[in-house]
Amino acid sequence: MSEKSCRLPAEKLKWACDPSIFNFRSTDEIGNLEGSIGQERALSAIHFGLGIQDNGFNIFLAGEPGTGRNTTIANHLKSRARTEPTPNDWCYVYNFAAPDNPLALSLPAGMGPELAADMKEFIDGVRTNIPKALESREYETHRVATIEEYQEKNGELFKILEKEVEGEGFAMQRTVSGLVVVPQKEGRNFTQEEYDALEQEEREQMDAHGKALTERLNDVMRQVRDNEKSLREALAQLDRELGLSAIGHHVGPLQEKYAYSERVVKYLESVQEDLLLNLDDFKPQAAAPQIPGLRVPKQEPNLERYQVNVFVTNDDHSGAPVVFETNATYNNLFGRMESVMQMGGVASTNFTLIKPGALHRANGGYLIVDAREVLMNPFAWDALKRCIRNAEIRIEDVLEQYRFMTFVTLKPEPIPLKAKIIMIGSLWIYYLLFHLEPEYRKFFKVKADFDSRLNRTPEVMQDYALFVATHCRNEGLLHFDPGAVAALLEYSARLVEDQERLSSQLMELTDLLREASYWAKEGGDSLVTREWVIKAIHHKIYRSNRIEERMQEYFEDGTILCDTDGSVTGQINGLSVITLGDHTFGRPSRVTARTYMGRAGMVNIEREVKLSGPIHDKGVLILTGYLGGKFALDRPLSLTASICFEQSYEGIEGDSASSTELYALLSALSGIPLRQGIAVTGSVNQHGHVQPIGGVNYKIEGFYAVCKAKGLTGSQGVMIPKLNERNLMLSEEVVQAVRDGMFHIWSVTTIDEGIEVLTGVPAGTLGPSGKYPDGTVNHRVQERLLEISEKMKRLLESEKGEKKEEKEER
């Protein structure tokens, strides 16, 4: 195959978008983009994941940042959630049976704040009505009458007892230990001397009477205590009836209003019962002792426990909630219990200080979180798994298990979880979780994979135009004409290095929209044209290519050796790609090969000094397979060859230079010089087929820049694998140079094709005799290998002879 037949025309070096495919003069004339650009696979997975309601079918949006994952799911959920039912409100209230375990009440959407307002109104009424009722004359009259009734009963009992005691010659007297019965004589108490002077029989009779009267006194005291208990019960019943009359007309309507919720009705019953049991709090309290210089405020009853903590509320017309949690800490996801510092530095909490997390706000709808944030924040991932596994959300003090001391805290009632959780992350995180997290597959069964490149179809190109129009409107940018949109599409194809595909890195394209609009405004234009897009691209490169320009200076002043003219044996220009942060560029590297007699085989100098990676080492070892299969079919391959990247002081990886190294090696073996104006890239297999590589555009443009600096001769260019032709999206400058015949691009399929382009000498085909035609590259290589083999054979025979002579002499 001749050199000209391998040469590519300028039309194949770049895909050019025809602006006439767009039927508008400005993107201001077209509508907005509905949905996303392409991504049919991901959209199908999202539709399935959102539609299936079985447990565990949560979604993981996998893909590179900037591919529209957030925007796509946001747009999809925005329209979907609007048509779905609005979830219930949730409130936390005081648990009168177990104060440390606040109760969670579920109410229809929008009714949570209404219950809180009703309870506030109820509490305000209680604060006024109960004290007023307790201070009323009717209540005081009933209370006094009840007390007097029981006092009369007690007085009657004591009156009867007193008559019995006096009839027996005794009297009742009050002492420190209470009432006692003592014997009487002539209207006074017996003295000890008088008692001792009595006869034994009289003393025993007096003691028996005293004992009987004491028992009677004890019976009366028991009746008095029973009467006092009955009095307290009667007063409590009086207070209860008073309380019911004061608050019953408030509780009754509330129970009717919330009759649809049994738990709310029971809660209202508990509130009423607790108020009736604590009416003493509303009664006038004894005045607190006054301390000079300190004013002690009047003690008011604490009614905080009757408040309602509106935990989560939803507008009854808003549909299902969609929550983006950008900072996925434990508290932000699962809620928290806040504390109030009191005097002395003691922190206290109560049910009104329970705050919701993103999972509570998204309950009944959708929660979107960043996978990396969830995994980085302590406890968040394990807690999320528990919530999904148990289908409930618990608010806990996560640090409780790590403290040396246990503190009294709340244990709020868990809330049932029914939400679709969507995690967004890279493919690396997805595979990491899939393989290392046993329960991940149970909880995130749907993967929506966002591709970084899209097939270039007419529909996709029209969607790109709508994408431009949407961003111009949303961000107040200047609108684009068809030529500018076409330039944007060409830049998109350049990003993926494919003439048949476009990039889905929408973040990168959006930045270009903004920059092109800026330069158009700076230039006083009212519309972004192709020239402004190209200028934005050039300035974007200029801001980042300082290192590339500095390296280019080294090529120009000869610090880095690179011949772009003439021919040299065993020397060739290879191509590599360097990525420094946000900028990627190509540069040529001189590759040299030396061959000599020996049996060491291929000596990769980079490998020997540990500057090459395993893939590059593999590429060099493939060369041995190629040479052996082609030139050592009837005799062993006796050869030592050293291959080196000159002036390379950093690591080398990749096999894209393996064909380059093979060309240098064939030149060194054959003695035929290689054209230095042609740089080469491409990997090779053991059969000599040239395989495609990456970064082909950067490599070509890097060598073109060196040739331009040293002077274009019209014979320079780059040789690439034929399979890389569709990856060509070269700059307009390089394409024009090819069009003018000042630079060339060759594409080859095999090493034989490539060596002909580099040397101008036919490669040669193996004949029936096992020889290559005279004058061909392969023939000269074959002859050189045969020569080395014969010399090695004679040398070995000579060495054996010398050893034999030495042995005989001994």
Side-chain angles (χ1 to χ4, degrees):
M1 183 176 290
S2 66
E3 177 209 355
K4 290 185 178 180
S5 62
C6 295
R7 193 180 298 172
L8 295 179
E11 292 72 25
K12 282 193 172 185
L13 304 183
K14 178 181 181 181
W15 166 71
C17 180
D18 185 3
S20 64
I21 66 173
F22 303 112
N23 298 321
F24 56 81
R25 290 174 297 178
S26 166
T27 52
D28 191 25
E29 300 174 3
I30 59 177
N32 290 332
L33 176 65
E34 299 293 337
S36 61
I37 303 177
Q39 305 292 0
E40 290 80 8
R41 186 193 309 274
L43 291 176
S44 174
I46 290 173
H47 180 76
F48 167 75
L50 296 180
I52 189 169
Q53 299 301 317
D54 297 277
N55 188 37
F57 282 85
N58 297 299
I59 305 173
F60 190 102
L61 301 187
E64 298 178 12
T67 52
R69 298 169 303 175
N70 289 25
T71 304
T72 299
I73 193 65
N75 293 337
H76 205 84
L77 292 179
K78 185 178 180 181
S79 57
R80 183 185 183 92
R82 192 184 302 118
T83 62
E84 295 183 348
T86 305
N88 286 355
D89 290 355
W90 285 93
C91 301
Y92 270 111
V93 295
Y94 189 78
N95 187 348
F96 297 99
D100 292 339
N101 305 114
L103 299 175
L105 301 181
S106 176
L107 296 98
M111 292 300 293
E114 195 164 335
L115 175 62
D118 289 340
M119 288 303 297
K120 183 179 184 305
E121 183 180 352
F122 170 73
I123 293 169
D124 292 341
V126 164
R127 187 179 282 110
T128 302
N129 294 338
I130 292 182
K132 186 183 296 184
L134 291 173
E135 295 173 2
S136 65
R137 179 174 297 179
E138 180 182 0
Y139 170 75
E140 188 62 28
T141 300
H142 279 37
R143 186 173 184 279
V144 169
T146 303
I147 294 173
E148 288 179 351
E149 178 184 351
Y150 281 94
Q151 287 178 344
E152 289 178 1
K153 289 181 181 180
N154 292 339
E156 187 66 27
L157 289 174
F158 280 113
K159 185 176 181 181
I160 294 172
L161 177 61
E162 191 173 358
K163 286 182 179 181
E164 291 180 8
V165 170
E166 289 178 354
E168 295 292 336
F170 285 79
M172 290 191 302
Q173 289 187 356
R174 187 175 299 277
T175 65
V176 176
S177 59
L179 290 175
V180 294
V181 178
V182 295
Q184 294 282 305
K185 181 180 180 181
E186 297 177 357
R188 59 177 176 79
N189 294 342
F190 261 83
T191 63
Q192 187 62 38
E193 291 79 7
E194 291 174 339
Y195 176 78
D196 294 338
L198 293 176
E199 295 291 335
Q200 180 67 26
E201 184 179 350
E202 292 177 344
R203 284 202 305 269
E204 291 177 356
Q205 186 177 5
M206 182 179 292
D207 291 342
H209 283 296
K211 184 177 181 181
L213 291 173
T214 299
E215 290 179 359
R216 174 64 179 144
L217 174 62
N218 291 336
D219 290 340
V220 170
M221 293 303 296
R222 280 193 291 271
Q223 292 182 34
V224 170
R225 285 194 292 271
D226 290 342
N227 287 340
E228 290 177 350
K229 181 179 178 182
S230 298
L231 174 61
R232 288 194 299 271
E233 291 175 353
L235 291 175
Q237 183 62 29
L238 178 63
D239 288 350
R240 185 178 185 85
E241 292 174 357
L242 176 73
L244 283 174
S245 65
I247 65 176
H249 63 283
H250 290 292
V251 175
L254 290 179
Q255 289 177 323
E256 293 179 6
K257 181 177 180 179
Y258 298 97
Y260 55 80
S261 174
E262 182 180 352
R263 284 175 63 88
V264 175
V265 172
K266 287 185 177 180
Y267 166 69
L268 292 172
E269 292 175 355
S270 300
V271 169
Q272 176 177 278
E273 186 64 27
D274 188 73
L275 280 169
L276 296 176
L277 293 175
N278 293 279
L279 287 175
D280 288 344
D281 294 343
F282 298 91
K283 295 178 180 179
Q285 304 294 322
Q290 296 297 317
I291 302 175
L294 179 64
R295 183 179 179 183
V296 180
K298 180 182 178 181
Q299 294 294 321
E300 295 288 342
N302 183 10
L303 305 180
E304 189 179 53
R305 62 183 179 276
Y306 306 120
Q307 295 179 6
V308 173
N309 178 4
V310 182
F311 193 61
V312 176
T313 183
N314 298 287
D315 186 349
D316 56 351
H317 299 297
S318 62
V322 178
V323 177
F324 279 82
E325 181 50 60
T326 56
N327 184 19
T329 63
Y330 178 88
N331 289 336
N332 286 350
L333 283 175
F334 309 104
R336 62 190 181 278
M337 290 176 286
E338 296 180 345
S339 300
V340 176
M341 298 299 294
Q342 298 178 338
M343 290 188 299
V346 179
S348 66
T349 187
N350 58 64
F351 74 96
T352 64
L353 299 177
I354 303 174
K355 303 301 178 183
L359 206 55
H360 297 101
R361 298 194 302 274
N363 202 10
Y366 307 93
L367 173 65
I368 305 170
V369 294
D370 185 276
R372 182 173 175 272
E373 292 287 336
V374 174
L375 296 175
M376 285 182 60
N377 283 287
F379 317 113
W381 172 245
D382 288 333
L384 183 62
K385 289 192 299 180
R386 282 196 299 270
C387 288
I388 299 174
R389 183 190 308 115
N390 301 327
E392 64 180 20
I393 317 171
R394 287 185 177 272
I395 302 178
E396 299 175 314
D397 182 3
V398 71
L399 297 177
E400 182 178 3
Q401 57 184 317
Y402 298 99
R403 295 195 184 105
F404 293 106
M405 299 177 61
T406 302
F407 295 90
V408 177
T409 186
L410 300 179
K411 299 288 184 182
E413 183 180 10
I415 293 177
L417 173 63
K418 188 178 181 182
K420 186 72 68 175
I421 300 172
I422 302 163
M423 285 209 305
I424 301 176
S426 65
L427 278 170
W428 183 81
I429 293 179
Y430 170 80
Y431 292 124
L432 181 70
L433 288 171
F434 190 87
H435 292 292
L436 300 181
E437 173 51 66
E439 292 185 300
Y440 170 77
R441 304 176 210 179
K442 293 169 55 179
F443 302 142
F444 289 87
K445 298 181 179 181
V446 181
K447 172 190 175 186
D449 195 351
F450 280 75
D451 199 351
S452 60
R453 57 185 65 196
L454 308 170
N455 289 329
R456 179 173 57 79
T457 63
E459 294 77 18
V460 168
M461 288 194 288
Q462 295 298 330
D463 284 344
Y464 266 93
L466 295 174
F467 166 79
V468 174
T470 302
H471 274 277
C472 289
R473 290 192 184 95
N474 292 343
E475 301 186 19
L477 306 177
L478 294 181
H479 280 276
F480 283 49
D481 71 0
V485 176
L488 180 73
L489 288 173
E490 293 172 9
Y491 177 73
S492 178
R494 162 77 180 210
L495 289 177
V496 295
E497 294 191 306
D498 197 324
Q499 297 182 4
E500 301 298 328
R501 290 188 172 85
L502 298 173
S503 172
S504 61
Q505 291 282 350
L506 302 181
M507 181 175 64
E508 185 90 10
L509 299 177
T510 304
D511 289 341
L512 184 59
L513 295 180
R514 299 184 182 110
E515 294 181 29
S517 176
Y518 166 80
W519 289 114
K521 288 179 181 178
E522 286 287 302
D525 209 337
S526 60
L527 196 65
V528 179
T529 62
R530 181 182 184 87
E531 290 70 25
W532 296 122
V533 175
I534 294 174
K535 182 173 183 178
I537 294 172
H538 288 168
H539 275 269
K540 185 180 180 68
I541 296 173
Y542 177 71
R543 294 195 298 270
S544 306
N545 71 343
R546 182 182 63 84
I547 302 299
E548 179 186 7
E549 290 187 353
R550 181 61 56 83
M551 188 170 291
Q552 190 65 30
E553 293 174 2
Y554 292 149
F555 282 106
E556 293 175 13
D557 61 23
T559 302
I560 299 179
L561 301 178
C562 179
D563 294 337
T564 60
D565 198 10
S567 298
V568 180
T569 301
Q571 177 177 298
I572 192 171
N573 289 319
L575 297 170
S576 59
V577 175
I578 299 175
T579 299
L580 298 174
D582 58 346
H583 184 60
T584 301
F585 61 95
R587 56 155 287 188
S589 298
R590 175 179 287 181
V591 178
T592 58
R594 298 298 300 271
T595 59
Y596 43 93
M597 192 167 56
R599 291 183 174 179
M602 297 295 171
V603 178
N604 178 13
I605 293 178
E606 268 71 33
R607 182 180 64 182
E608 297 301 318
V609 296
K610 297 181 174 55
L611 279 178
S612 66
I615 298 177
H616 180 258
D617 293 341
K618 174 186 175 183
V620 174
L621 293 174
I622 287 175
L623 305 187
T624 304
Y626 173 82
L627 293 176
K630 195 160 187 172
F631 302 109
L633 295 177
D634 54 355
R635 65 184 63 231
L637 189 66
S638 300
L639 171 72
T640 297
S642 63
I643 302 173
C644 178
F645 276 74
E646 306 294 347
Q647 291 183 292
S648 173
Y649 309 106
E650 64 276 345
I652 297 174
E653 180 60 309
D655 62 349
S656 65
S658 57
S659 67
T660 310
E661 294 166 327
L662 182 53
Y663 291 133
L665 185 61
L666 292 175
S667 173
L669 286 169
S670 67
I672 301 174
L674 300 174
R675 293 168 60 183
Q676 298 301 293
I678 301 178
V680 180
T681 184
S683 67
V684 66
N685 61 23
Q686 295 188 94
H687 295 285
H689 297 140
V690 181
Q691 302 168 144
I693 44 79
V696 63
N697 295 294
Y698 300 111
K699 292 176 179 179
I700 294 174
E701 291 167 358
F703 187 65
Y704 171 80
V706 174
C707 292
K708 180 182 176 183
K710 290 178 174 288
L712 293 172
T713 64
S715 62
Q716 299 151 331
V718 175
M719 189 166 65
I720 65 171
K722 190 172 185 59
L723 292 175
N724 276 123
E725 287 183 8
R726 66 172 292 172
N727 303 117
L728 294 175
M729 283 298 297
L730 294 170
S731 67
E732 190 59 38
E733 182 181 358
V734 176
V735 174
Q736 188 60 45
V738 173
R739 190 177 291 117
D740 296 339
M742 300 303 295
F743 197 75
H744 307 284
I745 308 296
W746 294 272
S747 68
V748 295
T749 304
T750 64
I751 290 296
D752 286 346
E753 293 178 6
I755 199 67
E756 291 184 8
V757 174
L758 290 168
T759 63
V761 179
T765 304
L766 187 67
S769 62
K771 298 289 185 177
Y772 290 96
D774 291 342
T776 62
V777 175
N778 289 332
H779 177 265
R780 296 183 67 170
V781 171
Q782 190 178 45
E783 291 298 317
R784 175 59 177 160
L785 291 173
L786 179 61
E787 179 186 349
I788 293 175
S789 178
E790 292 295 333
K791 286 183 178 181
M792 285 290 295
K793 182 179 179 181
R794 289 195 296 270
L795 180 61
L796 290 174
E797 290 176 352
S798 174
E799 290 178 351
K800 286 182 180 179
E802 291 176 358
K803 289 181 180 179
K804 186 177 180 180
E805 291 177 358
E806 290 179 1
K807 188 175 180 181
E808 290 175 352
E809 291 176 356
R810 293 175 184 175

